[in-house]
Amino acid sequence: LPVCEADGRVIGVVDVMDCVYASGGADGWRSIFASAMECDDITDTASVHSTHKSVKSVKSMKSTTRSVKMADTTVLKLRPKAPMICHSSDTVLGVSQMLASKRGDAAIITDSSGGLAGIITDTDVTRRVVAKKLPPSSTRVSDVMTANPTCVSSSDSATDALVTMVENHFRHLPVTDDNGAVVGVLDIAKCLNDAITKLEKQKDKSSSAAEDAVKQMASLQGAGGAQAAALQQLLGPLLSQAFGGQSSPTLRTILAGKLSTIASPGTNLQEVGSMMAEARKAALVVDNGKLIGIFGFKDMMSRAIAKELPLELTSVSSVMTPNPESVSPDTTVLEALQIMHDNKFLTLPVCEAD
């Protein structure tokens, strides 16, 4: 999500994980995820068979306060995405084209026996291929993937799996069955979106005590508008309890000291890719001080690599998403999460009023 001042001056860009970390990290989000899991409307699962192979699995963490119902809520309730599978001998170009055609952002890599060998994401393509000037058409995915990734079992606790992703800064987490076969992939952005959606369905059941807590948080944060009020009613009591009553920080706070990812319209994709790789952020395209576009890791993979564009000869303005929505740096983390949830954004530019 781009962040801009009122005069349009670009401050930076935040993503879903920035907001998660700024809101208390794993310990705080455990209670929020747990509350979402108490809603029992998620029933379907995605699965695909792969040849058996033992993989590293996240051990279920114990909690003396977890109810029996929560203990029975497994990873399958999170509706893991069906994995997009490629072979370790495939090229980065081939994998990028496959993901682009299926609108995916992560591929499970299998070895010669069909077992799990690794995972590669759109971010990896920019950081490990584009930034290092490797040729996608001849670089094997096995050379740039994350080998032997941490996995979670489909029978593990759903809340523990989500907390594991937050603690380790994982956006994607492979899911295996009890025999070690890959049956899906968890995406933290999708899980967060689902959690907020589920909690929204329950917000009318809030008690009067919870409403008082919401009013107190809204006063502390200076939240305004129908959207902010709705999110305060939704997550306010949970966050207040989870994070010790602290108010939600602003985007200005979490962007302080972060590397800039601002590019001019004529900057070529090779330079933009190096900038994105260093900052691990999407690039904001600015012309005469005004935000005119955004270019993310998925854009690099699907709009440039998959289409075999010459990176040093292609300007970012030709493949960016033009005129993106942006927010003020005085927007709170909670408000940013609501905006990203409502619009299914993964990133959000932050601009000053000018």
Side-chain angles (χ1 to χ4, degrees):
L1 188 63
V3 182
C4 303
E5 292 286 13
D7 59 3
R9 183 162 56 90
V10 178
I11 298 300
V13 62
V14 295
D15 56 34
V16 169
M17 298 309 287
D18 289 327
C19 295
V20 169
Y21 301 142
S23 298
D27 291 339
W29 282 96
R30 172 179 287 277
S31 65
I32 294 174
F33 288 139
S35 296
M37 290 302 100
E38 290 176 359
C39 306
D40 206 20
D41 60 330
I42 292 183
T43 57
D44 60 316
T45 62
S47 64
V48 66
H49 175 74
S50 69
T51 303
H52 165 76
K53 180 177 181 181
S54 296
V55 293
K56 180 169 54 176
S57 176
V58 177
K59 294 181 179 179
S60 295
M61 294 176 282
K62 297 181 179 179
S63 173
T64 57
T65 61
R66 184 183 297 133
S67 66
V68 173
K69 180 178 179 181
M70 277 307 304
D72 292 336
T73 304
T74 68
V75 167
L76 288 181
K77 289 289 186 179
L78 298 174
R79 297 186 299 174
K81 294 180 179 179
M84 299 180 186
I85 298 177
C86 295
H87 193 270
S88 57
S89 62
D90 290 340
T91 65
V92 171
L93 174 60
V95 173
S96 296
Q97 291 175 333
M98 182 276 291
L99 288 173
S101 67
K102 297 182 177 181
R103 297 186 178 182
D105 50 21
I108 295 296
I109 311 301
T110 59
D111 58 22
S112 57
S113 65
L116 177 63
I119 186 172
I120 188 168
T121 70
D122 50 3
T123 303
D124 298 329
V125 172
T126 295
R127 294 181 55 231
R128 301 173 183 175
V129 180
V130 174
K132 295 185 177 180
K133 299 184 178 181
L134 299 179
S137 60
S138 59
T139 300
R140 290 193 176 188
V141 70
S142 58
D143 294 330
V144 292
M145 68 183 184
T146 298
N148 303 314
T150 297
C151 299
V152 62
S153 170
S154 58
S155 60
D156 281 344
S157 160
T159 302
D160 287 348
L162 292 168
V163 171
T164 294
M165 298 180 78
V166 174
E167 286 180 332
N168 294 280
H169 295 205
F170 295 155
R171 185 182 158 196
H172 301 91
L173 189 64
V175 179
T176 66
D177 62 18
D178 292 336
N179 295 318
V182 179
V183 296
V185 177
L186 289 178
D187 183 322
I188 190 64
K190 175 183 178 296
C191 292
L192 180 62
N193 181 74
D194 287 348
I196 293 178
T197 298
K198 287 160 67 65
L199 287 169
E200 282 179 331
K201 295 178 181 178
Q202 299 297 318
K203 65 183 178 181
D204 292 336
K205 299 179 181 179
S206 299
S207 65
S208 58
E211 291 174 356
D212 291 340
V214 171
K215 292 177 181 178
Q216 180 180 11
M217 283 195 68
S219 175
L220 287 171
Q221 297 174 27
Q227 185 182 68
L231 187 63
Q232 291 293 352
Q233 181 180 359
L234 170 64
L235 291 182
L238 286 171
L239 287 172
S240 183
Q241 179 181 11
F243 308 137
Q246 296 180 353
S247 61
S248 178
T250 65
L251 300 184
R252 189 187 301 277
T253 300
I254 67 175
L255 284 173
K258 296 290 181 68
L259 289 175
S260 172
T261 54
I262 295 175
S264 63
T267 305
N268 68 56
L269 293 185
Q270 184 65 62
E271 294 179 13
V272 170
S274 297
M275 178 195 311
M276 292 167 62
E278 182 180 4
R280 298 195 180 194
K281 293 289 181 186
L284 299 178
V285 185
V286 177
D287 188 24
N288 294 322
K290 303 296 181 182
L291 177 68
I292 65 169
I294 188 171
F295 185 73
F297 294 103
K298 192 171 183 177
D299 300 327
M300 178 69 82
M301 181 186 70
S302 61
R303 299 177 184 176
I305 299 299
K307 295 184 178 181
E308 301 184 75
L309 297 181
L311 300 184
E312 294 184 349
L313 300 178
T314 304
S315 65
V316 67
S317 61
S318 66
V319 289
M320 69 183 185
T321 298
N323 305 314
E325 182 173 346
S326 65
V327 294
S328 163
D330 297 316
T331 302
T332 68
V333 167
L334 279 179
E335 292 166 335
L337 278 174
Q338 181 70 61
I339 293 170
M340 286 189 276
H341 167 258
D342 290 344
N343 295 280
K344 292 184 170 57
F345 292 156
L346 288 179
T347 55
L348 192 63
V350 185
C351 301
E352 294 286 9
D354 60 0

